[in-house]
């Protein structure tokens, strides 16, 4: 994008349709095309199950998925970092509730701890 190297994270609704793209540059700045209203990767796991792992960012999501064996359990990430946790958890409550266990893997900084506390009771 704009001739700069970047990562592009596609956000898709549960039908698999592209609804947004989050662009991350080397300096960790971001741009977003569209508005993500779901977790990153949520469309891959539409039916719930035993456990879902939720990370703060897309790169974290991909890392956890690879380390734990792709497909072993669902891994998704927040659409806009820790500050989006409460709103996305509320918006996707029914989907989250379709899992027996929800595991939070947020960063250990102030924002990550605050987000964990905000969503742990939802």
């Amino acid at each position: 994008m704009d001739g700069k190297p970047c990562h592009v994270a596609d956000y898709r609704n549960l039908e698999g349709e592209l609804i947004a793209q989050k662009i991350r540059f080397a300096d960790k700045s971001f741009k977003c095309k569209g508005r993500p209203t779901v977790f990153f990767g949520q469309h891959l796991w539409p039916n719930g199950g035993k456990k879902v792992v939720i990370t703060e960012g897309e790169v974290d999501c991909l890392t956890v998925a690879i380390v734990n064996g792709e497909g072993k359990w669902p891994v998704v990430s927040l659409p806009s970092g820790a500050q989006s946790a409460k709103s996305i958890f509320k918006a996707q409550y029914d989907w989250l509730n379709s899992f027996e266990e929800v595991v939070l893997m947020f960063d250990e900084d102030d924002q990550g701890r605050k987000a964990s506390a905000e969503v742990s009771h939802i």
Side-chain angles (χ1 to χ4, degrees):
M1 165 155 241
D2 299 330
K4 299 178 191 174
C6 63
H7 292 135
V8 178
D10 288 343
Y11 279 79
R12 298 182 181 276
N13 62 20
L14 293 180
E15 291 75 38
E17 300 166 328
L18 184 65
I19 58 171
Q21 289 183 312
K22 189 170 161 189
I23 299 108
R24 179 181 186 223
F25 297 97
D27 64 359
K28 293 191 176 183
S29 64
F30 295 91
K31 285 186 180 181
C32 197
K33 292 183 175 189
R35 184 174 173 260
T37 56
V38 295
F39 291 99
F40 172 74
Q42 183 176 341
H43 69 286
L44 299 171
W45 316 101
N47 300 320
K50 185 164 180 72
K51 173 172 41 174
V52 63
V53 176
I54 303 173
T55 65
E56 253 189 72
E58 298 88 3
V59 173
D60 298 331
C61 176
L62 297 173
T63 302
V64 171
I66 291 167
V67 168
N68 289 299
E70 202 171 326
K72 185 174 180 180
W73 62 72
V75 182
V76 298
S77 76
L78 301 172
S80 299
Q83 65 272 14
S84 68
K86 189 174 181 179
S87 62
I88 194 68
F89 269 64
K90 286 183 176 182
Q92 296 301 324
Y93 177 82
D94 289 339
W95 181 78
L96 289 167
N97 202 38
S98 70
F99 292 92
E100 294 176 30
E101 182 180 8
V102 176
V103 178
L104 305 178
M105 287 191 175
F106 295 172
D107 295 349
E108 279 294 315
D109 56 14
D110 289 340
Q111 291 177 327
R113 282 198 239 29
K114 181 181 176 190
S116 293
E118 287 179 343
V119 300
S120 63
H121 68 282
I122 295 177

